[in-house]
Amino acid sequence: MKHPKIIAIYGSPRRKGNTATLMKKAVEGARDSGADVEEIVLRDLKISPCLEIYGCLKAGECAIKDDFQMVRDKILDARGLILASPVFFYTVSAHTKMLMDRFQSLWVKKYWVHETPQQQQTNHRKGLFISVGATKGNKLFDGMLLSVKYFFDVLDMELWKALLYRQLDFQNDALKHPEYLEEAYKSGKAFITAIENDSND
Ligand SMILES: Cc1cc2nc3c(=O)[nH]c(=O)nc-3n(C[C@H](O)[C@H](O)[C@H](O)COP(=O)(O)O)c2cc1C
């Protein structure tokens, strides 16, 4: 497949923070492998939290009209998603979580409106997740990884890889670790190779 379409979502409120720095490297790697990458910064968009009104019960379409529909359509049209969020209280940032929650409308569409059996779920697309946290505990990423895995599931995406870095707190901390930047770059490249290999199956 030529130039696979990839969406890269920046979920931190800090524009030049650690996840953004690592994400830029992953995006660079993906582009160097020939991917067509579109970057989306969540803090620039207007996305309401899910209001749990279940307007989506009618046809699986979220009733709140804002930037969610644009982001959803781009993600659904892509072969892969790179998502970056810092750890905020042991889960993803509020910006990221608001986007995730709005995808409940897609969950409703699949399982309630179209009554797709769970076994028929196909993870035919891939996700790369990037996160950082300030502390160093073993369980630092446990909470968010569950959220991210099930978010990718709704998108028919396999969590291909998670790049998780501890003890990064101040804005430029990631820059002090060239080995992390290198890993992010190489992962961006390998992500595209994995997507292309899948397409050749
Ligand atoms: C609201 C808030 C909550 C946070 N919660 C945690 C936490 O639970 N565990 C942790 O290790 N770091 C926590 N941090 C620190 C951030 O994960 C850390 O500063 C990270 O480098 C920010 O990434 P960014 O530069 O990409 O925004 C928190 C920071 C903020 C602002």
Side-chain angles (χ1 to χ4, degrees), residues 14 16-18 21 168-177 181:
R14 193 150 67 174
K16 294 186 175 168
N18 296 308
T21 301
L168 301 181
D169 200 3
F170 296 107
Q171 173 152 297
N172 291 326
D173 280 357
L175 291 170
K176 297 175 195 154
H177 292 272
L181 305 180

Side-chain angles (χ1 to χ4, degrees), residues 85 89 106-107:
S85 167
F89 285 94
L106 183 61
W107 190 95

Side-chain angles (χ1 to χ4, degrees), residues 19 85-93 129-135 139-142 144 164-165:
T19 48
S85 167
V87 179
F88 280 3
F89 285 94
Y90 287 86
T91 187
V92 292
S93 68
F129 179 61
I130 301 173
S131 186
V132 312
T135 55
K139 297 187 172 173
L140 181 57
F141 300 103
D142 286 8
M144 65 167 21
L164 308 170
Y165 301 102

Side-chain angles (χ1 to χ4, degrees), residues 154-184:
V154 172
L155 300 175
D156 293 324
M157 282 182 184
E158 163 208 4
L159 176 54
W160 173 78
K161 190 175 200 175
L163 295 173
L164 308 170
Y165 301 102
R166 293 174 169 80
Q167 294 184 282
L168 301 181
D169 200 3
F170 296 107
Q171 173 152 297
N172 291 326
D173 280 357
L175 291 170
K176 297 175 195 154
H177 292 272
E179 72 281 17
Y180 296 172
L181 305 180
E182 175 78 7
E183 187 181 28

Side-chain angles (χ1 to χ4, degrees), residues 28 44 48 51 56 60 63 69-70 77 87 90 95 102 106 119 122 131 135 140-141 148 180 185 193 196:
E28 198 185 315
D44 290 341
S48 159
L51 299 178
C56 53
Q69 282 76 13
M70 175 274 288
D77 189 42
V87 179
Y90 287 86
H95 289 84
R102 293 288 295 283
L106 183 61
Q119 314 84 274
T122 52
S131 186
T135 55
L140 181 57
F141 300 103
V148 168
Y180 296 172
Y185 175 79
T193 307
E196 284 174 337

Side-chain angles (χ1 to χ4, degrees), residues 33 126 187-200:
S33 282
K126 293 190 191 302
S187 298
K189 288 198 88 164
F191 185 51
I192 303 311
T193 307
I195 286 172
E196 284 174 337
N197 286 345
D198 257 14
S199 311
N200 296 333

